[in-house]
Amino acid sequence: MTPRWSHAAALTGAAILSLGIAQAQSPELSAPPAIDGEVVGDHGSHTIRMGFGLSEGSPQYLSSRYFADILEQRSEGRLTVQIFPNSQLGDDVQMMEMLQTGTLDMTYPSSSAATSYVSELAVFDLPFLLPSREAAIEVLQSEAAQSMLDAFEGSGIKALAFSENGYRQLSNSARPVASPEDVAGLDVRGLTVRTMENPVHLAIWEALGANPTPMAFGELFSAMEQGVVDGQENPWSTILTSNFHEVQDYGSETRHVYTPFVMMMSERTWDRLDPEYQALVQEAARQSAAYEIQISAEYDDWARDQLEARGMQITRLDDAQIAAFQEAVQPVYEEWAPEIGEELITEIQQIAASVADD
Ligand code: TK8
């Protein structure tokens, strides 16, 4: 990176102002914790290739760099991680298949893309399930969540850790949205909203009167640019770091779903690693996931304000407006709760409530 202030003395006022704006392109994020723990023994050298969907500025990327640093330092450079962001190796679903066949070592999808491996993960796709980030984090750290990671066993995928994608918000290019009626349109057509390839998300947007269009994340920007879809839903940090505000004029703070990320490795890669390397990979995954959760939280509101500063019109919803969305998506629970499991849903709700009651 060019030293930011090296030529500052030569700059005009206007240029200094624009540098100030450029500087604001990332929030003040906590630095990753110092890497401690012993150097592990020499069990040969491995290069681990890791692909995912988001871009270089994202918490997902920054924490993956930290993961790479932990492995490199604690193996004295014998374990190296090559990171391929921006869906350049494929989308979440394709990269999980590459893990199964052993053509890719690691990926970091949204849990919603992995429900065909572990159906319990679909609990996270239920709308308005987790009322606060604190509750969500408690759930991610619970035994119930650990058993979802364990349930990947035998699939060809070793699931290592949950982290945070975050609360999903609606954006679109057609109109401000403050109610389900605004999504459905009264005398105009319903919004065409890109969703993840996940049946619960389809049901949510159908219930809201949209035309849901499942699509890989990597295709989304150009689909919006070309008007194939009116909108999409993702956390503010993703909307910002993927430059969606360039093609989306309106945002709504709906917080309709909290999506985790799952850091995962090919079982073939895992099996090739010495147990000491495996333990290091597992520990580094937990540490980098914890760091990701921390900076994702730091990023979230900041990203919303940045989007606003860059011209996105953001609609904040009060409790009554959120309640209207909640009511409109009730059919999703009726349809999907039996499928996902009433017991699991209750268990997750109780964990969430235990935080709220604290
Ligand atoms: C990135 C995806 C993405 C997800 C989506 O690979 O597809 O909308 O939220 O961030 O996992």
Side-chain angles (χ1 to χ4, degrees):
M1 224 181 109
T2 332
R4 198 176 276 143
W5 297 112
S6 55
H7 306 296
L11 294 172
T12 64
I16 288 173
L17 190 68
S18 72
L19 263 183
I21 291 167
Q23 193 185 20
Q25 277 175 359
S26 64
E28 297 220 348
L29 299 175
S30 300
I35 297 168
D36 53 15
E38 285 173 21
V39 169
V40 297
D42 179 356
H43 308 288
S45 295
H46 297 266
T47 301
I48 294 168
R49 296 166 74 244
M50 175 175 181
F52 50 78
L54 299 186
S55 69
E56 284 85 347
S58 63
Q60 184 178 49
Y61 180 87
L62 300 172
S63 63
S64 298
R65 283 250 55 94
Y66 180 49
F67 174 78
D69 290 344
I70 297 171
L71 289 197
E72 279 175 29
Q73 278 196 35
R74 293 193 53 199
S75 68
E76 292 190 313
R78 293 187 189 93
L79 295 178
T80 52
V81 182
Q82 284 177 358
I83 298 177
F84 300 88
N86 289 316
S87 307
Q88 49 184 291
L89 301 182
D91 62 43
D92 285 350
V93 172
Q94 291 165 333
M95 287 190 284
M96 283 187 282
E97 288 166 4
M98 290 164 77
L99 259 50
Q100 288 183 287
T101 57
T103 50
L104 178 65
D105 300 307
M106 288 186 73
T107 190
Y108 209 160
S110 290
S111 58
S112 319
T115 55
S116 58
Y117 297 95
V118 174
S119 59
E120 289 82 1
L121 286 172
V123 74
F124 291 111
D125 298 312
L126 289 169
F128 302 105
L129 179 75
L130 299 171
S132 69
R133 170 171 272 120
E134 292 68 31
I137 292 166
E138 190 76 12
V139 169
L140 295 184
Q141 291 168 346
S142 67
E143 273 171 39
Q146 182 58 47
S147 46
M148 292 180 208
L149 298 180
D150 296 344
F152 276 87
E153 180 150 14
S155 69
I157 291 173
K158 169 82 184 164
L160 297 166
F162 276 111
S163 72
E164 168 173 296
N165 186 350
Y167 280 107
R168 309 183 76 83
Q169 326 281 6
L170 176 68
S171 75
N172 84 95
S173 59
R175 52 183 178 260
V177 170
S179 67
E181 289 72 28
D182 294 332
V183 175
L186 291 174
D187 19 332
V188 283
R189 68 183 170 79
L191 295 176
T192 302
V193 177
R194 175 271 177 179
T195 67
M196 292 189 282
E197 292 161 272
N198 174 291
V200 183
H201 285 252
L202 272 175
I204 292 171
W205 291 96
E206 263 159 24
L208 290 170
N211 301 309
T213 308
M215 186 185 292
F217 182 77
E219 292 161 24
L220 178 53
F221 185 92
S222 60
M224 293 188 293
E225 192 173 36
Q226 290 161 16
V228 176
V229 295
D230 300 311
Q232 65 84 46
E233 40 86 62
N234 254 298
W236 295 129
S237 58
T238 297
I239 297 176
L240 180 67
T241 57
S242 304
N243 293 321
F244 289 170
H245 53 287
E246 290 174 7
V247 289
Q248 300 275 276
D249 289 340
Y250 306 102
S252 299
E253 195 149 49
T254 47
R255 293 167 60 92
H256 51 279
V257 169
Y258 178 93
T259 312
F261 278 131
V262 186
M263 189 183 248
M264 46 176 73
M265 183 176 254
S266 166
E267 239 162 36
R268 292 184 189 217
T269 308
W270 178 259
D271 290 341
R272 274 201 303 273
L273 297 176
D274 178 271
E276 206 183 355
Y277 280 175
Q278 290 178 344
L280 173 57
V281 165
Q282 180 61 74
E283 196 184 336
R286 284 210 189 94
Q287 289 173 340
S288 71
Y291 178 57
E292 197 276 345
I293 288 171
Q294 180 183 8
I295 59 176
S296 173
E298 292 169 356
Y299 222 114
D300 197 28
D301 286 350
W302 180 88
R304 179 199 56 209
D305 296 345
Q306 268 299 304
L307 289 165
E308 215 159 32
R310 290 165 194 222
M312 188 181 255
Q313 184 183 323
I314 299 205
T315 304
R316 290 168 173 75
L317 304 176
D318 63 26
D319 290 350
Q321 288 170 314
I322 291 288
F325 277 91
Q326 265 175 300
E327 201 186 328
V329 297
Q330 264 317 299
V332 178
Y333 275 83
E334 277 139 43
E335 187 186 348
W336 283 94
E339 200 88 15
I340 294 167
E342 311 271 5
E343 260 179 54
L344 175 63
I345 297 170
T346 307
E347 186 183 356
I348 300 295
Q349 283 169 330
Q350 281 168 353
I351 297 168
S354 73
V355 176
D357 294 345
D358 275 353

